[in-house]
């Protein structure tokens, strides 16, 4: 059976020693997040993840969700009780402002506990995850009345939320959507159309479901410039704030899909459902992007979390499974064979995954901290700088973490050999669940195009130049430290490859956009490798400083950090040269064949 242990010690190391979140105590909500409070919250989140959510993961996958004849959907056994515990413990409102019923704590802390919940049960965690995204959109673009009507119940978890974008004929190209909104003369609209692939679209976990729906008002311009966003609740809301009559929105079917079986992925039918405009007419994508960007960060975190739980199971299996003898001689002579963890290739597999997850955790929390600064700092320049990096990092985090997360989940499955392919050990579920993260909230090819086509040149390249400076300054500041030179030298080489690839795009992609398109995925991964390398360099520095201070109790943990950091620098970061070479090959061979030759 699968196992999972939330990596609380590792999270605390990143938050306290690498990111030093204590220095941000002046930001709203950070003053209440003392070291003791953070540790207590992480510990409680770990208990919920390990003891409540994780035991439901395998059974939820096997049972799945069930659609009744009347369109109602029931979640797997135990999910309602688990959601009630999650809700009543206040996890949904952890980082939501206090004036809307939340606790106002850092989004960084919300991200940290989100990893545990997602690793323990990805399908379950999607229900509150979609709700948090909807809350974010209403917070930014909702009217005072809409906030008062919906936010308290959603923050409490009594009501949940969704995002409705995709239609059968359009996904990425939302300008093609056909769902229509007809004004009723009283400020409301009638929404008619069909949406597909709607995560948590219908279920039995909450008293109401608040759908955020993209639609086109009658007479609006064609394309993306004519799209508006609407709040369409499952049940209309009475004057006293309670759920009232059923709205014209139903689940037409549950999608039969590869993974995340315990999350209801629905076909949603809108038949004259009553909706309210959120934000401004024809500016729906702007409002929805608030939700989409938060969701993309959350999906990037999913890539990390599922690789982490897959790694834990592969490592446990490798320590127990007996097969063959070590190349250097028997390590367990009293047994019929040695455990497979003695074999270099198994070690290579495990070290590769470990090097990704530990750096990925730091990268995810570093990005979440940028979000906190961008939204909470009182210094305009500091907010702008953080927001620049947050925008740049969003496609990198989403694309790289989910691509690598899936790859490494497959690698963890490989450690089990044939036992990884059968359902008993649970590894096939991790592979199936991980696959969707590369697709939803914007397929990773789209993330790469967004990075190269939009984010690089935004504001004259201000964000990427700031990143180059930050990483370059780190290398220079620590250049003379002999203990860190192995990390800074490798990082500087990777940074040089990223800078050269960026300059190549500037010289070769403006006149011929196909060069940017052909190299975009490699550029996204090149950027991700450099960011992961930067995180490892920062973690190595923190570990060396703590060892120098004589932290004997934590010495084994810190020394393991240094070994893993070196592994990343020596065996994984050199991939930046390969990515750079692919980018500089251009688009000629990629685009040469006629379409009918494929």
């Amino acid at each position: 059976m699968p196992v999972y242990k939330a990596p609380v010690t590792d999270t605390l190391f990143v938050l306290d020693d690498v990111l030093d979140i204590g220095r941000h105590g002046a930001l709203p909500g950070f003053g209440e997040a003392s070291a003791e409070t953070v540790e207590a919250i992480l510990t409680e989140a770990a208990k919920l993840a390990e003891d409540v959510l994780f035991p439901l993961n395998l059974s939820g996958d096997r049972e799945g969700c069930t659609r009744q004849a009347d369109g109602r959907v029931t979640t797997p056994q135990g999910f309602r009780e688990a959601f009630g515990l999650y809700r009543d413990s206040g996890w949904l409102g952890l980082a939501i402002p206090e004036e809307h019923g939340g606790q106002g704590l850092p989004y960084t802390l919300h991200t940290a506990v989100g990893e545990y919940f997602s690793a323990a049960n990805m399908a379950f965690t999607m229900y509150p995850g979609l709700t948090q995204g909807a809350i974010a959109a209403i917070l930014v673009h909702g009217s005072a009345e809409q906030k008062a009507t919906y936010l308290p119940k959603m923050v409490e978890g009594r009501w949940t939320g969704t995002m409705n974008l995709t239609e059968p004929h359009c996904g990425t190209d939302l300008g093609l959507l056909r769902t229509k909104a007809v004004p009723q003369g009283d400020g409301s609209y009638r929404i008619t159309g069909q949406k597909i692939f709607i995560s948590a679209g219908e279920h039995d976990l909450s008293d109401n479901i608040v759908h955020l729906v993209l639609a086109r008002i009658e007479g609006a311009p064609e394309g993306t410039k004519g799209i508006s966003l609407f709040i369409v609740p499952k049940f209309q809301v009475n004057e006293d704030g309670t759920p009232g009559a059923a709205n014209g929105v139903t689940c037409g079917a549950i999608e039969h899909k590869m993974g995340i079986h315990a999350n209801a992925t629905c076909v949603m039918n809108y038949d004259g459902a009553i909706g309210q405009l959120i934000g401004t007419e024809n500016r729906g994508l702007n409002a929805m992007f608030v939700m989409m960007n938060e969701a993309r960060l959350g999906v990037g975190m999913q890539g990390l979390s599922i690789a982490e739980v897959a790694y834990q199971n592969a490592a446990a299996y490798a320590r127990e499974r007996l097969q063959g003898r070590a190349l250097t001689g028997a390590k367990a002579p009293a047994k019929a064979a040695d455990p497979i963890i003695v074999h270099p290739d198994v070690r290579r597999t495990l070290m590769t995954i470990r090097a990704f997850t530990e750096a990925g955790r730091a990268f995810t929390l570093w990005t979440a901290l940028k979000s906190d600064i961008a939204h909470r700092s009182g210094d305009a320049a500091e907010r702008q700088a953080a927001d620049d990096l947050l925008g740049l990092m969003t496609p990198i985090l989403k694309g790289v973490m989910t691509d690598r997360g899936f790859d490494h989940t497959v690698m963890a499955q490989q450690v089990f050999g044939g036992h990884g392919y059968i359902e008993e050990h649970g590894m096939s579920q991790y592979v199936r669940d991980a696959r969707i993260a590369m697709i939803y909230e914007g397929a990773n090819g789209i993330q790469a195009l967004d990075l190269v086509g939009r984010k690089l040149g935004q504001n004259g390249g201000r964000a990427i130049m700031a990143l180059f400076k930050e990483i370059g300054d780190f290398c220079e500041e620590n250049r003379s430290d002999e203990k860190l030179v192995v990390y800074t030298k490798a990082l500087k080489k990777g940074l040089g490859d990223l800078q050269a690839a960026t300059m190549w795009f500037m010289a070769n992609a403006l006149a011929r956009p196909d060069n940017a398109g052909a190299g975009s995925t490699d550029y996204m991964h090149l950027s991700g490798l450099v960011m992961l390398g930067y995180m490892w360099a920062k973690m190595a520095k923190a570990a060396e400083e703590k060892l120098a201070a004589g932290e004997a109790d934590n010495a084994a943990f810190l020394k393991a950090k240094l070994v893993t950091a070196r592994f990343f620098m020596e065996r994984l970061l050199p991939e930046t040269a390969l990515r750079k070479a692919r980018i500089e090959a251009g688009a000629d061979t990629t685009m040469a064949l006629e379409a009918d030759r494929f």
Side-chain angles (χ1 to χ4, degrees):
M1 292 294 289
V3 297
Y4 176 65
K5 181 74 173 175
V8 174
T9 300
D10 202 79
T11 305
L12 287 171
F13 171 71
V14 172
L15 293 176
D16 295 338
D17 302 309
V18 180
L19 300 180
D20 188 18
I21 64 167
R23 65 189 173 93
H24 297 287
L27 293 178
F30 277 69
E32 291 72 42
S34 66
E36 295 77 14
T37 299
V38 169
E39 184 170 3
I41 289 172
L42 293 178
T43 300
E44 288 305 309
K47 291 178 182 177
L48 179 64
E50 295 165 6
D51 301 338
V52 178
L53 303 185
F54 184 67
L56 296 174
N57 191 49
L58 193 59
S59 61
D61 177 68
R62 290 172 176 168
E63 182 181 347
C65 294
T66 305
R67 180 183 176 274
Q68 310 300 326
D70 60 1
R72 291 182 300 113
V73 171
T74 55
T75 52
Q77 185 175 354
F79 269 49
R80 278 177 58 84
E81 294 77 10
F83 188 82
L85 183 58
Y86 178 98
R87 177 194 64 223
D88 295 343
S89 300
W91 292 109
L92 241 161
L94 192 68
I96 304 299
E98 292 180 271
E99 60 264 34
H100 297 295
Q103 299 168 55
L105 290 167
Y107 175 73
T108 307
L109 184 56
H110 158 82
T111 303
V113 301
E115 182 204 332
Y116 303 168
F117 299 149
S118 186
N121 196 321
M122 179 172 159
F124 174 94
T125 307
M126 290 171 64
Y127 291 102
L130 269 296
T131 303
Q132 285 155 340
I135 288 170
I138 296 172
L139 270 173
V140 175
H141 292 283
S143 66
E145 182 180 358
Q146 288 167 344
K147 291 176 184 178
T149 299
Y150 294 102
L151 288 182
K153 296 284 199 312
M154 295 175 74
V155 171
E156 185 184 1
R158 296 293 169 182
W159 296 359
T160 54
T162 71
M163 57 191 299
N164 285 235
L165 291 79
T166 305
E167 299 181 6
H169 59 282
C170 74
T172 300
D173 190 355
L174 290 170
L176 299 175
L177 71 79
R178 297 171 185 159
T179 299
K180 67 178 182 179
V182 180
Q184 298 301 293
D186 61 356
S188 69
Y189 295 77
R190 289 283 184 174
I191 312 298
T192 301
Q194 186 180 77
K195 300 289 185 176
I196 63 171
F197 305 157
I198 308 305
S199 299
E202 165 62 19
H203 55 78
D204 58 355
L205 302 181
S206 63
D207 299 332
N208 204 355
I209 302 175
V210 181
H211 301 288
L212 296 193
V213 184
L214 288 179
R216 194 183 309 278
I217 298 173
E218 279 191 327
E222 294 298 315
T224 57
K225 293 182 179 179
I227 297 175
S228 300
L229 181 64
F230 299 88
I231 299 177
V232 188
K234 174 181 176 180
F235 295 106
Q236 299 176 47
V237 181
N238 294 323
E239 289 188 7
D240 64 358
T242 59
N247 210 347
V249 51
T250 56
C251 171
I254 296 177
E255 306 283 8
H256 298 282
K257 54 192 189 294
M258 178 177 174
I260 53 168
H261 294 150
N263 190 271
T265 306
C266 300
V267 175
M268 301 301 298
N269 296 322
Y270 292 85
D271 186 15
I274 297 173
Q276 297 177 325
L277 179 70
I278 177 172
T280 307
E281 281 189 14
N282 304 330
R283 299 282 290 171
L285 279 183
N286 295 67
M288 184 61 86
F289 264 116
V290 172
M291 187 174 186
M292 289 172 68
N293 284 334
E294 177 152 317
R296 285 169 177 171
L297 295 175
V299 172
M301 181 266 291
Q302 286 180 339
L304 159 68
S305 64
I306 204 156
E308 170 65 30
V309 67
Y311 164 79
Q312 289 189 21
N313 282 271
Y317 185 80
R319 289 191 295 266
E320 299 169 359
R321 175 69 167 173
L322 303 180
Q323 291 285 287
R325 290 295 187 188
L327 298 176
T328 54
K331 301 300 187 232
K335 298 181 179 179
D338 289 333
I340 62 173
I341 201 165
V342 305
H343 303 307
D345 194 61
V346 173
R347 291 289 191 108
R348 175 195 61 81
T349 299
L350 294 175
M351 286 296 290
T352 298
I353 307 170
R354 180 180 181 134
F356 163 75
T357 58
E358 294 186 12
R361 181 171 300 112
F363 181 25
T364 302
L365 295 175
W366 181 90
T367 306
L369 181 57
K370 296 299 180 187
S371 179
D372 273 324
I373 296 169
H375 292 103
R376 303 185 187 214
S377 175
D379 184 308
E382 186 178 49
R383 283 199 312 273
Q384 182 66 72
D387 193 58
D388 284 349
L389 286 175
L390 178 63
L392 182 69
M393 288 301 123
T394 297
I396 298 171
L397 186 73
K398 195 280 182 184
V400 173
M401 297 296 287
T402 59
D403 274 356
R404 295 284 188 177
F406 174 75
D407 289 347
H408 293 156
T409 303
V410 172
M411 290 173 69
Q413 182 189 38
Q414 185 74 11
V415 171
F416 283 76
H419 291 283
Y421 195 67
I422 61 175
E423 295 293 333
E424 178 184 354
H425 290 279
M427 300 305 289
S428 65
Q429 181 190 350
Y430 295 137
V431 172
R432 289 185 283 105
D433 286 355
R435 188 64 183 87
I436 186 58
M438 302 162 70
I439 299 171
Y440 61 14
E441 303 308 335
N444 287 353
I446 300 300
Q447 302 301 321
L449 287 173
D450 177 49
L451 172 63
V452 172
R454 293 181 63 247
K455 300 298 174 59
L456 276 187
Q458 223 166 38
N459 302 306
R462 187 171 66 200
I464 192 67
M465 297 306 294
L467 182 67
F468 289 164
K469 184 178 187 306
E470 179 175 333
I471 299 175
D473 287 350
F474 177 90
C475 293
E476 185 61 27
E477 290 163 7
N478 296 282
R479 182 169 58 89
S480 59
D481 189 331
E482 292 184 2
K483 292 182 178 179
L484 298 180
V485 69
V486 65
Y487 314 110
T488 56
K489 184 177 180 181
L491 178 58
K492 191 171 182 179
K493 172 63 170 63
L495 177 62
D497 288 337
L498 180 58
Q499 290 171 320
T502 306
M503 295 301 293
W504 191 89
F505 275 147
M506 292 177 64
N508 296 278
L510 292 176
R512 191 180 177 201
D514 279 346
N515 280 329
S520 59
T521 291
D522 281 300
Y523 188 88
M524 180 180 72
H525 278 280
L526 172 51
S527 303
L529 283 164
V530 172
M531 286 306 302
L532 294 173
Y534 181 36
M535 294 301 108
W536 267 123
K538 289 172 72 69
M539 286 191 286
K541 181 177 181 179
E544 289 286 11
E545 289 174 348
K546 289 174 75 67
L547 285 169
E551 291 206 17
D553 292 344
N554 232 6
F557 171 86
L558 297 170
K559 289 176 180 177
K561 285 288 179 201
L562 297 175
V563 170
T564 312
R566 288 195 65 146
F567 177 90
F568 183 89
M569 297 299 183
E570 293 173 359
R571 298 191 60 104
L572 303 183
L573 190 56
E575 187 185 319
T576 59
L578 169 64
R579 297 287 182 175
K580 171 177 168 286
R582 286 176 175 170
I583 291 166
E584 293 176 349
D588 288 348
T589 53
T590 301
M591 305 303 295
L593 289 182
E594 296 297 328
D596 60 7
R597 302 302 300 171
F598 283 89

